[in-house]
Amino acid sequence: AEALAVSAVAASGDKSRNLYAKAKIAVEKALRLDQNLAEAYVTRGMIRRNGDWDWKGAEADFRRATELRPNDARAHSRYAHLLSPLGRHDEALAEI
């Protein structure tokens, strides 16, 4: 899921949409296998932020990831990259 989502960011148009769709399937499968998999929440948050423009869903996923793994630098970094464009700069700095 992570590799597909990162590839989707670098792609455009239909290719990007198709990669996000495949990433969603993979991340949902991962979460069905383990609902406490922080990495899956980080990836789904990234998909929701970049692919779906679902800010609330992305924030919920990043928060869940940081609850499960408070020291996960990738989770905090990706969360910060959601917060700053939303104008929540102080929160973004705290996350980063």
Side-chain angles (χ1 to χ4, degrees), residues 52-68:
D52 299 336
W53 294 13
D54 174 6
W55 317 133
K56 289 183 181 186
E59 182 167 12
D61 282 337
F62 293 135
R63 284 183 183 258
R64 180 67 177 137
T66 57
E67 288 171 6
L68 291 168

Side-chain angles (χ1 to χ4, degrees), residues 4 8 16-26 47:
L4 290 164
S16 179
R17 283 186 287 282
N18 290 335
L19 289 166
Y20 276 125
K22 290 178 182 178
K24 285 179 189 181
I25 292 167
I47 294 166

